[in-house]
């Protein structure tokens, strides 16, 4: 597993203990360990987005992930946050990572 950081613009939202979800599609993911900024300013958006998608609002967040091993992770397929109201675990997936960057992050996969 690799610990990667999740940001909305310049705001640090937490860390993801990432593992390979689907190597052929360039997807990594895991459980988000959120910061207080996530809970205060972003959790209501992500919970509402599951009920009624707000794609423009999601794009405006400028989500990005950063790895100490590979720098900013290029997620061509986007970043998916699943935060269900009443469930303690928040899941995050980073989708559409290129082969070379996947190899940097997870050389054994």
């Amino acid at each position: 597993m690799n610990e990667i950081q999740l940001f909305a613009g310049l705001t640090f939202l937490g860390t993801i203990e990432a593992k390979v979800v689907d190597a052929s599609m360039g997807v990594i993911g895991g459980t988000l360990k959120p910061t207080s900024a996530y809970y205060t300013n972003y959790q209501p958006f992500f919970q509402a987005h599951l009920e009624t998608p707000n794609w423009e609002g999601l794009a405006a967040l400028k989500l990005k992930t950063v790895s100490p091993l590979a720098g900013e992770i290029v997620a061509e397929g986007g970043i998916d946050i699943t935060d269900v109201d009443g469930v303690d675990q928040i899941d995050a997936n980073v989708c559409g990572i290129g082969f070379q960057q996947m190899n940097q992050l997870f050389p054994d996969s």
Side-chain angles (χ1 to χ4, degrees), residues 48-87:
H49 181 69
L50 285 175
E51 296 295 320
T52 305
N54 177 355
W55 301 112
E56 287 180 14
L58 184 63
L61 294 179
K62 298 181 182 173
L63 294 177
K64 70 177 181 178
T65 51
V66 177
S67 163
L69 298 173
E72 185 170 343
I73 300 170
V74 179
E76 294 294 335
I79 298 169
D80 172 51
I81 308 294
T82 304
D83 186 347
V84 178
D85 189 21
V87 177

Side-chain angles (χ1 to χ4, degrees), residues 2-5 65-73 101 104-105:
N2 289 335
E3 187 172 277
I4 59 174
Q5 299 174 325
T65 51
V66 177
S67 163
L69 298 173
E72 185 170 343
I73 300 170
Q101 201 164 42
Q104 283 181 302
L105 292 165

Side-chain angles (χ1 to χ4, degrees), residues 1-80:
M1 275 199 234
N2 289 335
E3 187 172 277
I4 59 174
Q5 299 174 325
L6 174 66
F7 291 87
L10 298 176
T11 304
F12 177 53
L13 300 183
T15 58
I16 304 164
E17 288 293 330
K19 63 181 185 246
V20 175
V21 174
D22 185 337
S24 67
M25 297 298 287
V27 180
I28 62 173
T31 301
L32 175 66
K33 296 178 183 166
T35 62
S36 59
Y38 174 85
Y39 285 121
T40 303
N41 301 314
Y42 296 89
Q43 187 174 45
F45 172 83
F46 286 111
Q47 289 180 346
H49 181 69
L50 285 175
E51 296 295 320
T52 305
N54 177 355
W55 301 112
E56 287 180 14
L58 184 63
L61 294 179
K62 298 181 182 173
L63 294 177
K64 70 177 181 178
T65 51
V66 177
S67 163
L69 298 173
E72 185 170 343
I73 300 170
V74 179
E76 294 294 335
I79 298 169
D80 172 51

